[in-house]
C-alpha cells in the first residue's frame, strides 16, 4: 500500500467521548503528540446524550458523603464483582476530576451556597451527582471540546500551528489495530467522507470507543455503539471480561414505536417520580431483594419523607439499582399488570409542580412533548427497559489502564472491571474522567519507557487490513462462502442480529435460548461475510454498516458465550434457570479471548481480584455474609482486621 | 396507521446533483429520520446522512426540510399531510460532501478563534463559588447542541460566502456572550472581540436564528443584543461593568 496516507504520533486515542477526550488532554499535557480519531463529527460522541449527572462524593449537599461511602455503594451496586482497586481509585479521585472541569469552563447547577449542586440517584446513599439540568453529558463534551481548543490555541501561539500537538480526525473509522510483533504499532482505518484508507503509526493506542447497544433491538444507544473497540481489542490479543453483564435501563420510552428505547433519565425518579402498574399500585415495594431490605423504605409514607429528611428515613425502592428495577418492571408486565404498550407508568406530575418539573427536567419535558405528544407535567407516561450500558469490556490494569497487549490501553465504557455486575447511574461519567486521565498518564509513561524504539506496521498487515475492509464491495459469486446463494443486505442482517440478541440473550436468559442464539449467530456470521454494498466509497452508510457488523457479531458471541457459562443471576445477568446469586460465582470473572492465530473465541475463568481487608471492613459483616463465602469472610477474623481498621477508615 | 408518502431527496456530491423521487412507507408516530432510515434499508443503501442520538441531543441530523433548516430526528411526520411531498435537502450554507451530508468545518474554524475560558487566577479547583442566578444566563447558551441550523439560516452568510471570513455566525456570538456572562471568566474583552473579530455589527437582528434553534435559545434577545449594547456602553463606563462582574463573583 505505497499510496497509503500515513501519520505518525506518540499516542492515538480512538474515541472522542468523555473518556477519549480526557485521555487525550492528559497525554498532550504530559508533552506528547496526540491524535484523536472518531466516527462522528467532533462534539457528537455518545457522551453528549448522558443526562443525569456525574457521581463524585464532594459532599456539597450532604457533608456526610465520602469516598468510602461511594466505594461501598459502587461495590454493592456491582454485586461485589467489581475490580476493587478500580472502585477505590474511582471513588477517591472523582471529586478532583469534577472540580477540574470548572477550571476548563464547565457551569454546573449550584447549591444555595454557590457550590456544585448534587442530586440523588439509584444506589447512591447521598445526593452525589453533579449535574446541569438533565444535559450533563453535553456539558462534559462541550467543556472538553473547549479545553482542547484552548490547548490548540496555545500551540498556535507557540508553534504557529494549532494542530501541532493535538489533532482531531473526525468521521474516521478504525477497522484494525496494527502490531509490530507483540506490541502495538498503530491503527488503520478509513475516512467516512472519502472512503480513503489511512494509517496512524504510534507506540501507544488508547481505546475509548464506548459500548455495544446496537446489537440489541431496543436500546438507548446511538449508531456508534457497535462494539468496535471491544472487537479491535479482541483481535489484537487483549482480553474481554464480564461480557455477560449488560445493563438494561429500567426506563426507556415505549411509545410511539419509533422512539422506543430512548432514555428517560433516572433523575425523574431521583427527583421524586414513582412507578405504578395498571392497577395504580407502587409495585416496587414488592421487589426489594434480601440484600437491600435494610437500606430501603418499607412504606410509601417513609419513602416520601426521605426526600425531605434523609437522616431519619430510608429511600423509596424506586431508587434501587437499575437491574432490580428493570427486572421488577419485566415481571409486572409479564403478570399482565403493564401499561397499554407493554411498559409501566412513571409519574412526576403528581409529585412536583409543573414549574419545578420544567426546571429540573427540561430535556425530558421537551423530549416527551416533541416526540410523544405527552405533557409530563400533567400526566404519567409509559416506560420500559432498554439496553443501555455494557459493564463488560477490555480487561485493564486498574492504575494505568494498560491491557494484555503492550501499548494498548482502554478506558470508559469499552473497558471492564470497574462496574462489576451492574453500574450505578452517574458512575460512568465519573469513570470516564478518572480512568480517561489515568489512561493518558499510563500511555505517556509507556511511551517514555520505550526511549527511541518505535514499533512499525508491516506492509503485509496493511494489505490485509485494506483487503478486509473492501470485501463488501466484492461479494460476488466466486468469493461468496459456500451455502449462501445471494448477496445479503447488511441492514437486514443487522435487524436479525438485534432480534436474536433481544429475544434470546436479553434481560431474562435461559440455557436453551442462549444456545439457540449461539447457533443463529454462526449463521448470521456467514451471512454478514456475504453482505454486499452498492455504490462507491464516499460516505456510504451501507458499507459502514457491513463493516460494523463484524464487531457486533464478535461482541454478541462473547456476550452469549459468557451468559451461557455463568449459572447464576447477578446484576445485569439474569438466568431464569439459575435465579439465585451464588457466592461461589462472585469471585469468578469470565474472560473472552481469541486463540492466537485463529478466529476461535475461547472462554476462561479468572478470579476477581481480592478485596483488601481494610476495604472489606468498611461494610458490616452481616451485609458481607450475603455476598461472600464463609471461607472468604475469614480474613475479617485475622489479627489486624475488622474493628480497628474499620475505625480508622470510617 | 401506515401510508405511502412521496419524498424528494437531494442526491449528489461535490460535482453536483439533483432531487430524486422516492415513495416510502410512513407509520404512526414516526419522525422524518425514521423514514430516511427506511429509505436506506429498502431502496437507497448508500444514501448519506448524519445522525447519532435520534433524540434531539447531538445536533448531527441537520438538513433543510421543505426549505426550512430542521433536525430530521425532531421533525414529526404528522406535521405533514399524507398527500404532501416532503423535500429534503442538505444545509445550504455549507458545501455539500454527499447527499444530505455537508462540510461544516467552517464552524470548527470559528470555534478555534474564540479565546478560551480564562480561569480566575486566585481560585484553586474546588474553590469556585457561583450563584445559580448568575450561571443561568450562560447556561442558556451552553444548551447549544451545535446543530448549526442558526448558522445555515443566517442571511449574512447564507448566500454570501465572502462574508464567512468576517462573520462568526450566531452560534459563536452566543459563545462569546456565554463567556462574557460567565461569573468567573477572567477576560474583560469578550464584547470587543465580538465586535472586532466576530463581525457582530453585521447582524441586523432579523431573529431568524432564534426561530430555527431547536434548543429554543433566545440567541438574539439574550446574547446578540446585550453584546451589541455592551460594546457601546463599555466605551463610556468600563468601571461600572467591571464592578458588576466582581460583585457577581462575591455573591
Ligand atoms: C441516553 C444515555 C444517558 C446516559 N446518562 C448517563 C448519566 O447521566 N450519567 C452517567 O454516568 N452515565 C450516563 N450514561 C452512560 C454514559 O453516557 C456512557 O457510558 C459514556 O458516555 C461512554 O463514554 P465513552 O467516552 O466511553 O464513549 P463515547 O462517548 O460513546 O465515545 C465513543 C467514541 O468512540 C468513537 N468510536 C467508536 N468506534 C470507533 C471506531 N471504530 N473508529 C473510530 N472511532 C470510534 C465514537 O465515534 C465516539 O467518539 C448514559 C448513556 C445514555 C445512552
Ligand atoms: S439575528 Fe443576526 S445572527 Fe441571527 S439570523 Fe439574523 S442576522 Fe443572523
Ligand atoms: S444556537 Fe441553537 S440553532 Fe444554533 S447551533 Fe446551537 S442549538 Fe443549533
Ligand atoms: S440525531 Fe442527534 S439531534 Fe438528530
Amino acid at each position: 500500500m505505497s499510496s497509503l496516507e500515513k501519520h505518525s504520533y506518540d499516542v492515538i486515542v480512538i474515541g472522542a467521548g468523555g473518556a477519549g477526550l480526557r485521555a487525550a488532554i492528559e497525554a498532550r499535557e504530559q508533552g506528547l503528540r496526540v491524535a484523536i480519531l472518531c466516527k462522528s463529527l467532533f462534539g457528537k460522541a455518545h457522551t453528549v446524550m448522558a443526562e443525569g449527572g456525574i457521581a463524585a462524593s464532594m459532599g456539597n449537599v450532604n457533608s456526610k458523603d465520602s469516598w468510602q461511602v461511594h466505594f461501598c455503594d459502587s461495590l454493592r451496586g456491582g454485586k461485589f464483582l467489581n475490580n476493587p482497586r478500580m472502585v477505590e481509585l474511582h471513588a477517591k479521585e472523582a471529586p478532583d476530576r469534577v472540580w477540574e472541569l470548572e477550571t476548563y469552563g464547565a457551569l454546573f447547577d449550584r447549591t444555595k451556597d454557590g457550590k456544585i449542586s448534587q442530586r440523588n440517584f439509584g444506589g447512591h446513599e447521598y445526593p452525589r451527582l453533579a449535574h446541569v439540568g438533565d444535559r450533563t453529558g453535553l456539558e462534559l463534551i462541550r467543556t472538553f471540546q473547549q479545553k482542547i481548543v484552548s490547548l490548540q490555541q496555545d500551540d498556535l501561539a507557540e508553534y504557529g500551528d494549532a494542530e501541532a500537538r493535538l489533532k482531531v480526525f473526525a468521521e474516521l473509522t478504525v477497522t484494525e489495530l496494527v502490531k509490530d510483533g507483540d506490541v502495538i504499532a498503530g491503527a488503520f482505518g478509513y475516512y467516512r467522507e472519502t472512503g480513503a484508507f489511512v494509517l496512524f503509526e504510534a507506540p501507544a493506542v488508547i481505546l475509548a470507543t464506548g459500548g455495544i447497544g446496537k446489537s440489541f433491538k431496543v436500546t438507548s444507544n446511538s449508531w456508534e455503539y457497535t462494539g468496535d473497540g471491544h472487537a479491535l481489542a479482541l483481535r489484537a490479543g487483549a482480553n474481554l471480561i464480564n461480557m455477560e453483564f449488560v445493563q438494561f435501563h429500567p426506563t426507556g420510552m415505549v411509545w410511539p414505536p419509533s422512539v422506543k428505547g430512548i432514555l428517560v433519565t433516572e433523575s425523574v425518579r431521583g427527583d421524586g417520580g414513582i412507578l405504578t402498574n395498571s392497577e395504580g399500585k407502587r409495585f416496587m415495594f414488592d421487589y426489594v431483594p434480601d440484600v437491600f431490605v435494610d437500606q430501603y423504605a418499607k412504606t410509601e409514607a417513609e419513602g416520601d419523607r426521605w426526600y425531605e429528611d434523609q437522616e431519619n428515613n430510608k429511600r423509596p425502592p424506586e431508587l434501587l439499582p437499575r437491574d432490580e428495577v428493570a427486572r421488577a418492571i419485566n415481571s409486572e408486565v409479564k403478570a399482565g399488570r403493564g401499561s397499554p404498550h407493554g411498559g409501566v407508568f412513571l409519574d412526576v406530575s403528581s409529585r412536583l409542580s409543573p414549574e419545578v418539573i420544567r426546571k429540573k427536567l427540561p430535556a425530558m419535558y421537551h423530549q416527551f412533548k416533541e416526540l410523544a405528544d405527552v405533557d409530563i407535567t400533567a400526566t404519567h407516561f409509559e416506560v420500559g427497559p432498554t439496553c443501555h450500558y455494557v459493564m463488560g469490556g477490555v480487561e485493564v490494569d486498574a492504575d494505568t489502564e494498560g491491557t494484555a497487549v503492550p501499548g494498548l490501553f482502554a478506558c470508559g465504557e469499552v473497558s471492564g472491571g470497574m462496574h462489576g455486575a451492574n453500574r450505578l447511574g452517574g458512575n460512568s461519567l465519573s469513570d470516564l474522567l478518572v480512568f480517561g486521565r489515568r489512561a493518558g498518564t499510563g500511555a505517556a509513561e509507556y511511551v517514555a519507557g520505550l526511549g527511541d524504539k518505535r514499533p512499525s506496521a508491516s506492509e503485509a498487515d496493511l494489505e490485509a487490513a485494506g483487503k478486509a475492509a473492501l470485501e463488501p464491495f466484492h461479494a460476488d459469486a466466486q468469493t461468496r462462502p459456500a451455502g449462501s446463494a445471494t448477496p445479503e443486505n447488511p441492514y437486514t442482517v443487522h435487524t436479525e442480529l438485534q432480534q436474536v440478541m433481544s429475544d434470546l440473550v436479553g434481560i431474562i436468559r435461559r440455557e436453551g435460548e442462549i444456545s439457540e442464539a449461539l447457533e443463529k449467530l454462526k449463521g448470521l456470521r456467514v451471512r454478514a461475510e456475504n453482505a454486499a454494498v452498492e455504490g462507491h466509497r464516499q460516505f456510504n452508510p451501507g458499507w459502514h454498516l457491513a463493516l460494523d457488523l463484524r464487531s457486533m457479531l464478535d461482541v454478541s458471541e462473547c456476550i452469549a458465550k459468557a451468559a451461557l457459562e455463568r449459572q447464576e443471576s447477578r446484576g445485569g445477568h439474569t438466568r431464569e434457570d439459575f435465579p439465585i446469586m451464588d457466592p461461589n460465582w462472585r469471585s469468578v470473572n469470565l474472560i473472552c479471548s481469541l486463540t492466537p492465530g485463529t478466529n476461535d473465541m475461547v472462554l476462561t475463568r479468572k478470579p476477581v481480584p481480592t478485596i483488601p481487608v481494610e476495604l472489606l471492613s468498611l461494610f458490616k459483616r452481616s451485609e458481607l455474609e450475603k455476598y461472600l463465602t464463609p471461607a472468604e469472610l475469614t480474613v475479617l477474623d485475622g489479627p489486624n482486621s475488622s474493628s480497628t481498621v474499620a475505625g480508622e477508615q470510617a | 396507521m401506515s401510508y405511502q408518502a412521496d419524498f424528494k431527496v437531494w442526491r449528489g456530491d461535490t460535482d453536483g446533483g439533483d432531487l430524486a423521487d422516492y415513495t416510502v412507507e410512513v407509520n404512526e408516530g414516526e419522525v422524518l429520520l425514521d423514514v430516511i432510515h427506511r429509505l436506506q434499508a429498502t431502496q437507497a443503501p448508500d444514501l448519506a446522512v448524519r445522525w447519532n442520538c435520534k433524540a434531539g441531543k447531538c445536533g448531527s441530523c441537520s438538513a433543510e426540510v421543505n426549505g426550512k433548516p430542521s433536525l430530521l430526528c425532531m421533525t414529526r411526520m404528522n406535521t405533514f399531510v399524507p398527500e404532501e411531498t416532503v423535500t429534503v435537502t442538505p444545509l445550504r450554507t455549507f458545501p455539500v460532501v454527499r447527499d444530505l451530508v455537508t462540510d461544516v468545518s467552517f464552524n470548527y474554524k470559528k470555534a478555534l478563534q474564540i479565546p478560551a475560558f480564562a480561569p480566575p487566577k486566585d481560585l484553586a479547583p474546588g474553590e469556585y463559588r457561583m450563584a445559580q442566578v448568575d450561571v443561568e444566563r450562560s447556561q442558556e447558551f451552553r444548551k447549544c447542541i451545535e446543530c448549526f441550523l442558526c448558522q445555515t439560516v443566517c442571511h449574512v452568510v447564507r448566500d454570501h460566502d465572502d462574508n464567512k471570513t468576517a462573520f462568526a455566525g450566531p452560534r459563536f456570538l452566543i459563545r462569546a456572550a456565554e463567556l462574557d456572562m460567565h461569573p468567573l471568566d477572567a477576560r474583560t474583552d469578550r464584547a470587543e472581540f465580538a465586535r472586532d473579530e466576530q463581525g457582530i455589527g453585521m447582524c441586523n437582528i432579523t431573529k431568524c436564528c432564534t426561530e430555527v434553534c431547536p434548543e429554543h435559545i433566545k440567541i438574539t434577545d439574550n446574547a446578540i443584543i446585550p453584546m451589541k449594547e455592551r460594546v457601546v456602553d463599555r466605551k463610556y463606563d468600563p468601571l461600572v461593568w467591571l464592578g458588576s462582574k466582581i460583585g457577581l463573583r462575591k455573591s
Side-chain angles (χ1 to χ4, degrees), chain A residues 15-19 39 46-47 50-53 172 174 209 224-225 228 263 388-389 413 423 426 428-429 432:
Chain A
K39 292 209 275 192
H46 204 275
T47 299
E51 295 164 358
L172 187 151
V174 172
T209 51
E224 292 192 314
Y225 268 27
D228 291 4
L263 191 74
H388 185 58
Y389 185 90
E413 190 168 341
R423 171 179 72 89
S428 171
L429 295 185
L432 312 181

mmCIF file of all heavy atoms in Angstrom, chain A residues 15-19 39 46-47 50-53 172 174 209 224-225 228 263 388-389 413 423 426 428-429 432, ligand 1:
data_model
loop_
_atom_site.group_PDB
_atom_site.id
_atom_site.type_symbol
_atom_site.label_atom_id
_atom_site.label_comp_id
_atom_site.label_asym_id
_atom_site.label_seq_id
_atom_site.Cartn_x
_atom_site.Cartn_y
_atom_site.Cartn_z
ATOM 1 N N GLY A 15 -11.690 7.457 19.811
ATOM 2 C CA GLY A 15 -12.905 7.813 20.524
ATOM 3 C C GLY A 15 -12.824 9.220 21.078
ATOM 4 O O GLY A 15 -11.836 9.593 21.699
ATOM 5 N N ALA A 16 -13.883 10.003 20.814
ATOM 6 C CA ALA A 16 -13.910 11.395 21.257
ATOM 7 C C ALA A 16 -15.057 11.624 22.222
ATOM 8 O O ALA A 16 -15.669 12.684 22.264
ATOM 9 C CB ALA A 16 -14.019 12.320 20.057
ATOM 10 N N GLY A 17 -15.411 10.589 23.004
ATOM 11 C CA GLY A 17 -16.357 10.773 24.097
ATOM 12 C C GLY A 17 -15.605 11.293 25.314
ATOM 13 O O GLY A 17 -14.435 11.676 25.216
ATOM 14 N N GLY A 18 -16.269 11.270 26.455
ATOM 15 C CA GLY A 18 -15.633 11.806 27.658
ATOM 16 C C GLY A 18 -14.315 11.128 27.972
ATOM 17 O O GLY A 18 -13.320 11.788 28.319
ATOM 18 N N ALA A 19 -14.251 9.814 27.837
ATOM 19 C CA ALA A 19 -13.038 9.080 28.195
ATOM 20 C C ALA A 19 -11.893 9.431 27.244
ATOM 21 O O ALA A 19 -10.780 9.740 27.674
ATOM 22 C CB ALA A 19 -13.304 7.576 28.164
ATOM 23 N N LYS A 39 -15.646 8.401 14.935
ATOM 24 C CA LYS A 39 -16.542 8.066 13.826
ATOM 25 C C LYS A 39 -17.475 9.206 13.443
ATOM 26 O O LYS A 39 -17.907 9.290 12.310
ATOM 27 C CB LYS A 39 -17.409 6.842 14.197
ATOM 28 C CG LYS A 39 -16.637 5.540 14.317
ATOM 29 C CD LYS A 39 -17.502 4.310 13.983
ATOM 30 C CE LYS A 39 -18.302 3.779 15.125
ATOM 31 N NZ LYS A 39 -18.894 2.442 14.856
ATOM 32 N N HIS A 46 -21.288 9.779 21.836
ATOM 33 C CA HIS A 46 -22.385 9.293 22.629
ATOM 34 C C HIS A 46 -22.520 9.983 23.986
ATOM 35 O O HIS A 46 -23.621 10.178 24.499
ATOM 36 C CB HIS A 46 -22.123 7.802 22.823
ATOM 37 C CG HIS A 46 -23.346 7.055 23.099
ATOM 38 N ND1 HIS A 46 -23.839 6.951 24.372
ATOM 39 C CD2 HIS A 46 -24.199 6.406 22.302
ATOM 40 C CE1 HIS A 46 -24.940 6.233 24.325
ATOM 41 N NE2 HIS A 46 -25.182 5.894 23.086
ATOM 42 N N THR A 47 -21.390 10.384 24.559
ATOM 43 C CA THR A 47 -21.433 11.044 25.866
ATOM 44 C C THR A 47 -22.368 12.256 25.880
ATOM 45 O O THR A 47 -22.935 12.573 26.920
ATOM 46 C CB THR A 47 -19.993 11.446 26.289
ATOM 47 O OG1 THR A 47 -19.192 10.269 26.383
ATOM 48 C CG2 THR A 47 -19.969 12.152 27.625
ATOM 49 N N ALA A 50 -25.712 11.752 27.716
ATOM 50 C CA ALA A 50 -25.855 11.496 29.154
ATOM 51 C C ALA A 50 -26.631 12.626 29.797
ATOM 52 O O ALA A 50 -26.470 13.791 29.442
ATOM 53 C CB ALA A 50 -24.490 11.344 29.804
ATOM 54 N N GLU A 51 -27.470 12.249 30.725
ATOM 55 C CA GLU A 51 -28.428 13.217 31.229
ATOM 56 C C GLU A 51 -28.221 13.552 32.694
ATOM 57 O O GLU A 51 -27.969 14.687 33.082
ATOM 58 C CB GLU A 51 -29.846 12.659 31.012
ATOM 59 C CG GLU A 51 -30.155 12.535 29.527
ATOM 60 C CD GLU A 51 -31.361 11.657 29.204
ATOM 61 O OE1 GLU A 51 -31.960 11.090 30.138
ATOM 62 O OE2 GLU A 51 -31.696 11.548 28.014
ATOM 63 N N GLY A 52 -28.282 12.508 33.529
ATOM 64 C CA GLY A 52 -28.459 12.711 34.968
ATOM 65 C C GLY A 52 -27.312 13.381 35.686
ATOM 66 O O GLY A 52 -27.513 14.306 36.480
ATOM 67 N N GLY A 53 -26.082 12.936 35.458
ATOM 68 C CA GLY A 53 -25.007 13.586 36.174
ATOM 69 C C GLY A 53 -23.770 12.730 36.360
ATOM 70 O O GLY A 53 -23.677 11.616 35.861
ATOM 71 N N LEU A 172 -13.854 9.343 11.031
ATOM 72 C CA LEU A 172 -12.845 8.384 10.605
ATOM 73 C C LEU A 172 -13.062 7.103 11.414
ATOM 74 O O LEU A 172 -13.133 7.159 12.640
ATOM 75 C CB LEU A 172 -11.458 8.977 10.889
ATOM 76 C CG LEU A 172 -10.258 8.201 10.371
ATOM 77 C CD1 LEU A 172 -9.114 9.173 10.088
ATOM 78 C CD2 LEU A 172 -9.778 7.135 11.332
ATOM 79 N N VAL A 174 -11.831 3.402 12.606
ATOM 80 C CA VAL A 174 -10.707 2.474 12.690
ATOM 81 C C VAL A 174 -11.244 1.060 12.480
ATOM 82 O O VAL A 174 -12.215 0.657 13.117
ATOM 83 C CB VAL A 174 -10.011 2.582 14.062
ATOM 84 C CG1 VAL A 174 -8.969 1.485 14.233
ATOM 85 C CG2 VAL A 174 -9.375 3.955 14.217
ATOM 86 N N THR A 209 -13.846 3.702 22.866
ATOM 87 C CA THR A 209 -14.869 3.619 21.822
ATOM 88 C C THR A 209 -16.287 3.413 22.327
ATOM 89 O O THR A 209 -17.201 3.259 21.527
ATOM 90 C CB THR A 209 -14.548 2.458 20.877
ATOM 91 O OG1 THR A 209 -14.334 1.296 21.681
ATOM 92 C CG2 THR A 209 -13.318 2.717 20.044
ATOM 93 N N GLU A 224 -23.280 4.591 16.833
ATOM 94 C CA GLU A 224 -21.848 4.377 17.053
ATOM 95 C C GLU A 224 -21.568 3.160 17.919
ATOM 96 O O GLU A 224 -20.448 2.663 17.936
ATOM 97 C CB GLU A 224 -21.245 5.588 17.762
ATOM 98 C CG GLU A 224 -21.214 6.824 16.927
ATOM 99 C CD GLU A 224 -20.343 7.884 17.583
ATOM 100 O OE1 GLU A 224 -20.462 8.118 18.796
ATOM 101 O OE2 GLU A 224 -19.535 8.463 16.872
ATOM 102 N N TYR A 225 -22.603 2.720 18.669
ATOM 103 C CA TYR A 225 -22.364 1.692 19.679
ATOM 104 C C TYR A 225 -22.379 0.274 19.118
ATOM 105 O O TYR A 225 -23.197 -0.561 19.471
ATOM 106 C CB TYR A 225 -23.346 1.870 20.836
ATOM 107 C CG TYR A 225 -22.712 2.744 21.902
ATOM 108 C CD1 TYR A 225 -21.744 3.679 21.536
ATOM 109 C CD2 TYR A 225 -23.033 2.638 23.244
ATOM 110 C CE1 TYR A 225 -21.127 4.467 22.484
ATOM 111 C CE2 TYR A 225 -22.411 3.430 24.199
ATOM 112 C CZ TYR A 225 -21.460 4.338 23.803
ATOM 113 O OH TYR A 225 -20.835 5.108 24.745
ATOM 114 N N ASP A 228 -17.028 -1.637 18.405
ATOM 115 C CA ASP A 228 -15.784 -1.690 17.622
ATOM 116 C C ASP A 228 -14.557 -1.883 18.504
ATOM 117 O O ASP A 228 -13.673 -2.680 18.192
ATOM 118 C CB ASP A 228 -15.581 -0.388 16.835
ATOM 119 C CG ASP A 228 -16.578 -0.224 15.715
ATOM 120 O OD1 ASP A 228 -17.470 -1.080 15.593
ATOM 121 O OD2 ASP A 228 -16.462 0.755 14.960
ATOM 122 N N LEU A 263 -33.893 7.008 26.121
ATOM 123 C CA LEU A 263 -33.800 7.016 27.578
ATOM 124 C C LEU A 263 -34.686 8.053 28.258
ATOM 125 O O LEU A 263 -34.817 9.171 27.811
ATOM 126 C CB LEU A 263 -32.359 7.280 28.003
ATOM 127 C CG LEU A 263 -32.129 7.030 29.490
ATOM 128 C CD1 LEU A 263 -32.097 5.551 29.771
ATOM 129 C CD2 LEU A 263 -30.872 7.705 29.978
ATOM 130 N N HIS A 388 -28.793 -0.421 27.635
ATOM 131 C CA HIS A 388 -28.257 0.897 27.941
ATOM 132 C C HIS A 388 -26.739 0.943 28.047
ATOM 133 O O HIS A 388 -26.113 1.910 27.645
ATOM 134 C CB HIS A 388 -28.879 1.328 29.268
ATOM 135 C CG HIS A 388 -28.533 2.721 29.685
ATOM 136 N ND1 HIS A 388 -28.824 3.818 28.901
ATOM 137 C CD2 HIS A 388 -27.940 3.206 30.798
ATOM 138 C CE1 HIS A 388 -28.425 4.913 29.530
ATOM 139 N NE2 HIS A 388 -27.863 4.581 30.678
ATOM 140 N N TYR A 389 -26.151 -0.085 28.635
ATOM 141 C CA TYR A 389 -24.731 0.028 29.003
ATOM 142 C C TYR A 389 -24.158 -1.368 29.102
ATOM 143 O O TYR A 389 -24.838 -2.297 29.515
ATOM 144 C CB TYR A 389 -24.634 0.736 30.362
ATOM 145 C CG TYR A 389 -23.210 1.024 30.805
ATOM 146 C CD1 TYR A 389 -22.590 2.216 30.454
ATOM 147 C CD2 TYR A 389 -22.484 0.107 31.562
ATOM 148 C CE1 TYR A 389 -21.290 2.492 30.849
ATOM 149 C CE2 TYR A 389 -21.187 0.371 31.955
ATOM 150 C CZ TYR A 389 -20.593 1.563 31.602
ATOM 151 O OH TYR A 389 -19.313 1.838 31.991
ATOM 152 N N GLU A 413 -16.442 3.287 28.677
ATOM 153 C CA GLU A 413 -17.365 2.151 28.613
ATOM 154 C C GLU A 413 -16.734 0.918 27.976
ATOM 155 O O GLU A 413 -17.109 -0.212 28.271
ATOM 156 C CB GLU A 413 -18.646 2.558 27.873
ATOM 157 C CG GLU A 413 -19.745 1.510 27.993
ATOM 158 C CD GLU A 413 -21.114 1.983 27.537
ATOM 159 O OE1 GLU A 413 -21.347 3.200 27.457
ATOM 160 O OE2 GLU A 413 -21.956 1.106 27.264
ATOM 161 N N ARG A 423 -23.762 -1.337 36.819
ATOM 162 C CA ARG A 423 -23.235 0.013 37.053
ATOM 163 C C ARG A 423 -24.288 0.898 37.703
ATOM 164 O O ARG A 423 -25.453 0.846 37.330
ATOM 165 C CB ARG A 423 -22.827 0.646 35.719
ATOM 166 C CG ARG A 423 -22.466 2.109 35.817
ATOM 167 C CD ARG A 423 -22.049 2.682 34.481
ATOM 168 N NE ARG A 423 -23.170 2.850 33.568
ATOM 169 C CZ ARG A 423 -23.925 3.948 33.498
ATOM 170 N NH1 ARG A 423 -23.697 4.973 34.289
ATOM 171 N NH2 ARG A 423 -24.916 4.026 32.617
ATOM 172 N N GLY A 426 -24.622 7.541 36.948
ATOM 173 C CA GLY A 426 -23.676 8.591 37.323
ATOM 174 C C GLY A 426 -22.254 8.093 37.453
ATOM 175 O O GLY A 426 -21.309 8.869 37.367
ATOM 176 N N SER A 428 -20.711 6.261 35.360
ATOM 177 C CA SER A 428 -19.992 6.167 34.095
ATOM 178 C C SER A 428 -19.265 7.470 33.802
ATOM 179 O O SER A 428 -18.074 7.469 33.478
ATOM 180 C CB SER A 428 -20.927 5.835 32.934
ATOM 181 O OG SER A 428 -20.217 5.956 31.728
ATOM 182 N N LEU A 429 -19.958 8.581 33.923
ATOM 183 C CA LEU A 429 -19.290 9.847 33.592
ATOM 184 C C LEU A 429 -18.068 10.049 34.488
ATOM 185 O O LEU A 429 -17.016 10.512 34.032
ATOM 186 C CB LEU A 429 -20.271 11.016 33.702
ATOM 187 C CG LEU A 429 -21.435 10.997 32.698
ATOM 188 C CD1 LEU A 429 -22.273 12.279 32.818
ATOM 189 C CD2 LEU A 429 -20.943 10.858 31.266
ATOM 190 N N LEU A 432 -15.289 7.897 33.214
ATOM 191 C CA LEU A 432 -14.603 8.467 32.050
ATOM 192 C C LEU A 432 -13.518 9.441 32.493
ATOM 193 O O LEU A 432 -12.405 9.456 31.940
ATOM 194 C CB LEU A 432 -15.580 9.239 31.142
ATOM 195 C CG LEU A 432 -16.897 8.586 30.736
ATOM 196 C CD1 LEU A 432 -17.684 9.508 29.818
ATOM 197 C CD2 LEU A 432 -16.646 7.259 30.050
HETATM 198 C C1 LIG C 1 -29.094 8.257 26.972
HETATM 199 C C2 LIG C 1 -27.971 7.981 27.905
HETATM 200 C C3 LIG C 1 -27.888 8.688 29.104
HETATM 201 C C4 LIG C 1 -26.826 8.447 29.987
HETATM 202 N N1 LIG C 1 -26.761 9.166 31.162
HETATM 203 C C5 LIG C 1 -25.711 8.968 31.989
HETATM 204 C C6 LIG C 1 -25.583 9.735 33.189
HETATM 205 O O1 LIG C 1 -26.398 10.587 33.496
HETATM 206 N N2 LIG C 1 -24.518 9.507 33.982
HETATM 207 C C7 LIG C 1 -23.571 8.585 33.666
HETATM 208 O O2 LIG C 1 -22.618 8.447 34.420
HETATM 209 N N3 LIG C 1 -23.657 7.851 32.538
HETATM 210 C C8 LIG C 1 -24.711 8.018 31.694
HETATM 211 N N4 LIG C 1 -24.807 7.268 30.553
HETATM 212 C C9 LIG C 1 -23.699 6.389 30.180
HETATM 213 C C10 LIG C 1 -22.573 7.220 29.603
HETATM 214 O O3 LIG C 1 -23.091 8.302 28.883
HETATM 215 C C11 LIG C 1 -21.687 6.411 28.674
HETATM 216 O O4 LIG C 1 -21.333 5.236 29.272
HETATM 217 C C12 LIG C 1 -20.438 7.211 28.388
HETATM 218 O O5 LIG C 1 -20.759 8.463 27.862
HETATM 219 C C13 LIG C 1 -19.488 6.487 27.458
HETATM 220 O O6 LIG C 1 -18.416 7.356 27.180
HETATM 221 P P1 LIG C 1 -17.130 6.913 26.399
HETATM 222 O O7 LIG C 1 -16.186 8.064 26.455
HETATM 223 O O8 LIG C 1 -16.668 5.606 26.907
HETATM 224 O O9 LIG C 1 -17.621 6.676 24.928
HETATM 225 P P2 LIG C 1 -18.491 7.595 23.916
HETATM 226 O O10 LIG C 1 -18.859 8.907 24.439
HETATM 227 O O11 LIG C 1 -19.571 6.767 23.412
HETATM 228 O O12 LIG C 1 -17.494 7.811 22.746
HETATM 229 C C14 LIG C 1 -17.119 6.763 21.908
HETATM 230 C C15 LIG C 1 -16.263 7.356 20.845
HETATM 231 O O13 LIG C 1 -15.591 6.345 20.144
HETATM 232 C C16 LIG C 1 -15.687 6.580 18.769
HETATM 233 N N5 LIG C 1 -15.543 5.318 18.063
HETATM 234 C C17 LIG C 1 -16.203 4.162 18.266
HETATM 235 N N6 LIG C 1 -15.794 3.226 17.408
HETATM 236 C C18 LIG C 1 -14.831 3.794 16.640
HETATM 237 C C19 LIG C 1 -14.019 3.337 15.556
HETATM 238 N N7 LIG C 1 -14.126 2.104 15.078
HETATM 239 N N8 LIG C 1 -13.156 4.213 14.994
HETATM 240 C C20 LIG C 1 -13.055 5.488 15.438
HETATM 241 N N9 LIG C 1 -13.786 5.952 16.469
HETATM 242 C C21 LIG C 1 -14.671 5.121 17.050
HETATM 243 C C22 LIG C 1 -17.019 7.242 18.605
HETATM 244 O O14 LIG C 1 -17.089 7.956 17.403
HETATM 245 C C23 LIG C 1 -17.038 8.151 19.820
HETATM 246 O O15 LIG C 1 -16.361 9.341 19.541
HETATM 247 C C24 LIG C 1 -25.863 7.484 29.664
HETATM 248 C C25 LIG C 1 -25.952 6.777 28.469
HETATM 249 C C26 LIG C 1 -27.002 7.017 27.598
HETATM 250 C C27 LIG C 1 -27.097 6.225 26.349
#
